[in-house]
């Protein structure tokens, strides 16, 4: 077993990717757009369309949950205790809280950033950061990147301890080192969907706040002065009747002559939004990779189809886990190395759902039954 180095240096841990600025609009001063400034659009899409926000939350919850295994049982227990109690900032403890925020950023922005805070030759905290406040630069080699932030003078400079930073991209493109969000391709569809919702709200607001058209047909022998006076009287009485109705009083409107009262816009039917809204939601949900029934939609889903969709979701979750697994291994290896232990660790992910465990158990049972039957046949032949 390796001996841990003697603790030196201050015990106060400092964080590079989180600033201590408490100004409510401090992000406006240090904002650096990344990848075309799409981050704000993606954030607004999540706020405007709740089903997409729920989809990201379900993907995050399904991807979490893991255990670790080291060379010895004592090392494994010590690492498990650290992962369970590690400080992640913002009042959060445990590596699960870090993983939740890290995967959420990875899905929303296509990239996620974190930091290992080391003080006194010991790993004190693991924090996640805001990727919208950082900038990524490629070094001389295309295989290496460095994270940069704006300093007090407004200059973008690399962060000093790059080896303590954690960075992951999802489906990066060749032309730049930034990843691709699952919301890319959604703004156009989301804009149309929000227009439909806004129109529905305006129509129902108009239906709940009715406007009337009062038409008074005058006699041919009536002069203009008398017609104007009569019109003013009808308008005054109608306004008084409507005002008393708002105050809970019942007041009749009595008019002499040929008076016609209509509701403005009652002849125009409200458009049926069920079909276009469903078409748009199908496109948006398909981009997330989640089966519709997980979000509460029953769109002609049979039992066989739902099973196939669950299998596809399982592959999506495992792909997401493979993206973040190197980051978790780096955190574990760093902790073990600073503690003087052998930096050998294996990440063991939890089963995605109980349904997967049931199907695996059935498959093992069928294989055992087939092997037993085959063995009995062979023995009978002999």
């Amino acid at each position: 077993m390796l001996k841990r180095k003697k603790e030196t240096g201050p015990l106060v841990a400092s964080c590079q990717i989180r600033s201590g600025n408490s100004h409510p609009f401090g992000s406006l001063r240090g904002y650096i757009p990344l990848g075309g400034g799409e981050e704000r659009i993606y954030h607004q899409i999540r706020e405007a369309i709740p089903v997409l926000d729920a989809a990201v939350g379900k993907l995050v919850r399904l991807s979490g949950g893991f255990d670790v295994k080291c060379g010895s049982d004592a090392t494994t227990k010590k690492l498990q205790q650290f992962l369970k109690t590690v400080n992640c900032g913002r009042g959060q403890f445990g590596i699960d809280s870090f993983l939740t925020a890290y995967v959420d950023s990875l899905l929303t922005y296509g990239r996620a950033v974190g930091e290992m805070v080391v003080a006194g030759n010991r790993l004190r905290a693991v924090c996640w950061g805001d990727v919208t406040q950082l900038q990524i630069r490629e070094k001389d080699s295309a295989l290496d990147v460095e994270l940069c932030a704006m300093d007090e003078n407004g200059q973008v400079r690399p962060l000093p301890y790059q080896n303590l930073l954690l960075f992951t991209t999802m489906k990066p493109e060749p032309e730049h080192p930034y990843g691709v969000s699952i919301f890319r391709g959604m703004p156009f569809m989301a804009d149309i969907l929000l227009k439909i919702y806004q129109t529905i709200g305006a129509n129902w607001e108009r239906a709940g706040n009715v406007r009337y058209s009062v038409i008074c047909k005058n006699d041919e022998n009536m002069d203009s002065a008398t017609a104007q006076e009569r019109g003013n009287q009808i308008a005054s009485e109608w306004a008084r009747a409507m005002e008393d109705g708002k105050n809970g009083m019942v007041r009749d409107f009595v008019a002499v002559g040929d008076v016609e009262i209509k509701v403005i816009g009652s002849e125009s039917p409200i458009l049926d939004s069920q079909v276009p809204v469903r078409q748009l939601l199908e496109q948006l949900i398909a981009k997330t990779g989640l089966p519709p029934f997980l979000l509460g939609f029953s769109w002609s889903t049979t039992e066989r189809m739902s099973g196939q969709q669950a299998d596809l979701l399982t592959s999506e979750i495992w792909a997401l886990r493979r993206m973040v697994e190197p980051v978790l291994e780096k955190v574990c290896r760093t902790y073990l190395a600073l503690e003087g232990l052998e930096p050998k660790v294996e990440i063991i992910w939890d089963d995605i759902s109980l349904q997967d465990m049931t199907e695996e158990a059935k498959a093992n049972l069928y294989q055992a039954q087939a092997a037993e039957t085959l063995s009995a046949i062979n023995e009978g032949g002999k």
Side-chain angles (χ1 to χ4, degrees), residues 48 50 55 59 72-73 82 87 92 136 146 150 172 176 195 200 215 227 247 262 272 331 340 346 371 375:
L59 287 173
S72 63
D73 294 338
F82 167 77
N87 188 3
Q92 301 293 318
I136 306 166
E146 60 182 3
M150 183 177 294
H176 55 73
K195 287 180 181 178
I200 294 174
I215 301 175
N247 298 329
K262 293 183 178 181
D272 185 12
V331 172
E346 179 184 359
S375 177

Side-chain angles (χ1 to χ4, degrees), residues 51-361:
V51 67
L52 295 180
D53 185 65
V56 173
K58 289 184 181 298
L59 287 173
V60 170
R61 287 191 293 272
L62 288 173
S63 62
F66 70 96
D67 198 1
V68 292
K69 183 179 180 181
C70 302
S72 63
D73 294 338
T75 304
T76 300
K77 292 181 180 179
K78 190 171 184 179
L79 179 58
Q80 289 175 343
Q81 181 65 21
F82 167 77
L83 296 177
K84 185 178 180 180
T85 60
V86 61
N87 188 3
C88 297
R90 303 290 193 265
Q92 301 293 318
F93 294 89
I95 198 66
D96 289 336
S97 60
F98 165 79
L99 183 61
T100 297
Y102 197 82
V103 175
D104 187 279
S105 176
L106 185 64
L107 293 172
T108 305
Y109 304 114
R111 52 193 170 273
V113 64
E115 180 183 6
M116 296 179 293
V117 182
V118 177
N121 291 331
R122 305 188 75 174
L123 184 56
R124 301 290 182 176
V126 181
C127 304
W128 69 89
D130 185 5
V131 293
T132 62
Q133 305 297 324
L134 300 177
Q135 196 174 43
I136 306 166
R137 291 179 180 175
E138 287 187 350
K139 295 184 178 180
D140 297 335
S141 174
L143 301 177
D144 298 328
V145 295
E146 60 182 3
L147 300 179
C148 307
M150 183 177 294
D151 59 10
E152 298 178 354
N153 299 325
Q155 300 292 329
V156 178
R157 301 184 183 278
L159 295 174
Y161 305 105
Q162 295 286 328
N163 59 328
L164 298 179
L165 299 178
L166 308 171
F167 181 65
T168 305
T169 58
M170 184 171 66
K171 301 177 183 178
E173 297 179 338
E175 58 268 17
H176 55 73
Y178 307 115
V180 177
S181 169
I182 64 171
F183 294 120
R184 194 177 75 167
M186 290 188 183
F188 176 71
M189 293 291 181
D191 182 46
I192 298 176
L193 182 63
L194 292 178
K195 287 180 181 178
I196 295 176
Y197 285 154
Q198 186 177 6
T199 304
I200 294 174
N203 289 336
W204 279 100
E205 183 179 2
R206 187 180 298 109
N209 190 7
V210 182
R211 297 293 188 269
Y212 297 94
S213 172
V214 181
I215 301 175
C216 178
K217 298 181 180 179
N218 298 324
D219 298 335
E220 297 179 356
N221 299 327
M222 186 180 299
D223 56 2
S224 60
T226 305
Q228 184 177 1
E229 182 181 357
R230 183 181 178 186
N232 293 334
Q233 291 177 354
I234 293 176
S236 177
E237 291 297 325
W238 178 259
R240 186 179 303 175
M242 293 294 101
E243 188 67 26
D244 292 341
K246 294 181 180 179
N247 298 329
M249 299 175 59
V250 179
R251 180 183 178 90
D252 297 331
F253 173 71
V254 181
V256 179
D258 189 1
V259 178
E260 181 181 4
I261 301 176
K262 293 183 178 181
V263 176
I264 298 176
S266 60
E267 296 83 2
S268 302
I270 299 178
L271 297 176
D272 185 12
S273 60
Q274 184 175 0
V275 175
V277 167
R278 174 174 171 175
Q279 291 177 349
L280 293 172
L281 288 177
E282 285 177 350
Q283 297 287 333
L284 297 176
I285 294 175
K287 190 67 168 57
T288 63
L290 284 173
F293 65 84
L294 285 181
L295 299 172
F297 298 105
S298 56
W299 292 337
S300 302
T301 301
T302 62
E303 183 178 358
R304 187 180 186 89
M305 184 183 300
S306 62
Q308 294 175 352
Q309 291 175 345
D311 292 339
L312 293 175
L313 176 61
T314 302
S315 63
E316 293 286 341
I317 296 301
W318 277 110
L320 187 60
R321 287 177 169 182
R322 286 192 294 269
M323 294 180 192
V324 299
E325 185 171 342
V327 170
L328 299 177
E329 290 180 350
K330 183 177 180 180
V331 172
C332 295
R333 288 196 302 266
T334 302
Y335 170 78
L336 295 175
L338 293 176
E339 293 293 326
L341 303 174
E342 183 181 2
K344 181 181 179 181
V345 64
E346 179 184 359
I347 304 296
I348 303 174
W349 293 97
D350 297 339
D351 292 316
I352 294 177
S353 66
L354 185 61
Q355 181 180 2
D356 297 333
M357 297 174 62
T358 304
E359 295 298 330
E360 291 178 1

